[in-house]
Amino acid sequence: MKDRNLDKEGLEIESLKLAFTGRAEIYQWFSSLFALELTQEQMEAYQKGGIENLLQFLTHYGLQKEAERLQNAINAWQLLETPRLELAADFASLFLLDGKHGALPYASHYLEADGNLYGDAERLMREYLAESELKLHKNFREPADHLAVFLALLARWNRQTIEKQEVKSVAKEQQNFIADTLLSWVPTFAKRVSEISVASDFYPAVVALLLSFLHLEEQFLQSLLLDD
């Protein structure tokens, strides 16, 4: 019986490692989408099924409706006259304009009373980055509380968790981070994105997918805590 219990525990740990590996890849993918515009090569890869495995993972995670919406948005690129330029214009309209006209991807904009940037959320993210011995890339000239930074940090934490064999012990830390530093403002950000007119549903679909994913992440991490 003892050996069987050990085998069961070993299988459970391996299963969690796979889950954390998948989560790290998802967070890194989300981060890349908010950090930079899609390239022509990326768009062509997406149209050829380049993110099929990723969408299957998300579907298995319980996000079938959101994954299908994103796939439909990609399929609809063929209806655009100049897909690359129109996607770039969407990216700019959503994430690069001011708060009145766009949907700024900065936590401070939503959490500060006056909507100013470089608030407490930005200082907190710099602390998180310092604790993780990370620095913003010199070419990424954005405040530290940019959405892409939050997501890249979660990707890094999940990779480190696998390497250190600490797949359960970090659950509470990650759950608190998602609840306190992301879900405190991403729903408002997502609502703002949905209100802006764009040529393609791609970025609104990505944001809706991210929000649903974060809510499921809370549930997943809570389940790990209940198992202990």
Side-chain angles (χ1 to χ4, degrees):
M1 181 64 68
K2 183 177 179 180
D3 290 340
R4 286 185 181 180
N5 288 338
L6 288 174
D7 289 343
K8 182 178 179 180
E9 182 179 351
L11 289 172
E12 182 181 5
I13 293 298
E14 287 304 312
S15 178
L16 284 173
K17 285 182 182 178
L18 289 174
F20 272 69
T21 298
R23 292 172 65 240
E25 292 175 357
I26 294 293
Y27 278 119
Q28 192 62 56
W29 173 72
F30 274 126
S31 177
S32 70
L33 291 179
F34 293 109
L36 295 169
E37 302 169 5
L38 287 176
T39 65
Q40 183 65 40
E41 291 73 20
Q42 286 175 311
M43 291 181 65
E44 290 175 358
Y46 282 17
Q47 289 176 302
K48 294 177 181 177
I51 60 169
E52 184 176 337
N53 290 339
L54 182 146
L55 292 180
Q56 287 179 352
F57 179 90
L58 290 167
T59 296
H60 179 73
Y61 206 54
L63 299 170
Q64 180 177 355
K65 180 180 70 174
E66 292 85 352
E68 287 180 352
R69 177 183 175 183
L70 181 57
Q71 184 62 66
N72 289 337
I74 293 170
N75 293 342
W77 287 348
Q78 61 184 324
L79 303 177
L80 300 177
E81 186 175 348
T82 54
R84 171 72 179 86
L85 293 179
E86 291 178 73
L87 260 291
D90 285 353
F91 185 92
S93 296
L94 289 168
F95 310 132
L96 301 181
L97 298 182
D98 57 48
K100 180 182 292 186
H101 300 96
L104 292 179
Y106 312 111
S108 291
H109 176 69
Y110 302 93
L111 299 178
E112 296 293 313
D114 53 9
N116 286 344
L117 304 185
Y118 294 98
D120 291 338
E122 203 274 343
R123 289 190 289 273
L124 179 61
M125 276 305 295
R126 288 196 176 277
E127 292 176 7
Y128 275 119
L129 292 173
E131 289 172 4
S132 299
E133 299 182 346
L134 294 173
K135 293 182 180 180
L136 295 178
H137 194 281
K138 62 180 181 180
N139 293 330
F140 188 73
R141 298 173 182 176
E142 299 282 0
D145 62 339
H146 189 289
L147 180 56
V149 180
F150 286 91
L151 300 171
L153 184 58
L154 277 164
R156 172 67 175 266
W157 281 352
N158 279 291
R159 287 193 293 268
Q160 290 178 332
T161 296
I162 300 164
E163 294 167 1
K164 296 178 180 179
Q165 310 286 312
E166 296 174 346
V167 290
K168 284 194 174 184
S169 61
V170 299
K172 186 61 177 177
E173 181 182 6
Q174 285 196 22
Q175 185 187 42
N176 289 340
F177 182 83
I178 290 170
D180 297 340
T181 69
L182 279 168
L183 287 177
S184 57
W185 65 277
V186 170
T188 307
F189 164 72
K191 183 177 184 298
R192 179 63 184 144
V193 167
S194 70
E195 296 169 345
I196 298 173
S197 177
V198 287
S200 168
D201 189 44
F202 178 76
Y203 286 112
V206 167
V207 173
L209 178 60
L210 171 63
L211 180 57
S212 294
F213 179 71
L214 291 174
H215 283 301
L216 280 184
E217 278 281 88
E218 271 200 309
Q219 297 175 25
F220 169 73
L221 294 166
Q222 181 62 31
S223 71
L224 294 186
L225 296 172
L226 293 175
D227 286 343
D228 286 342

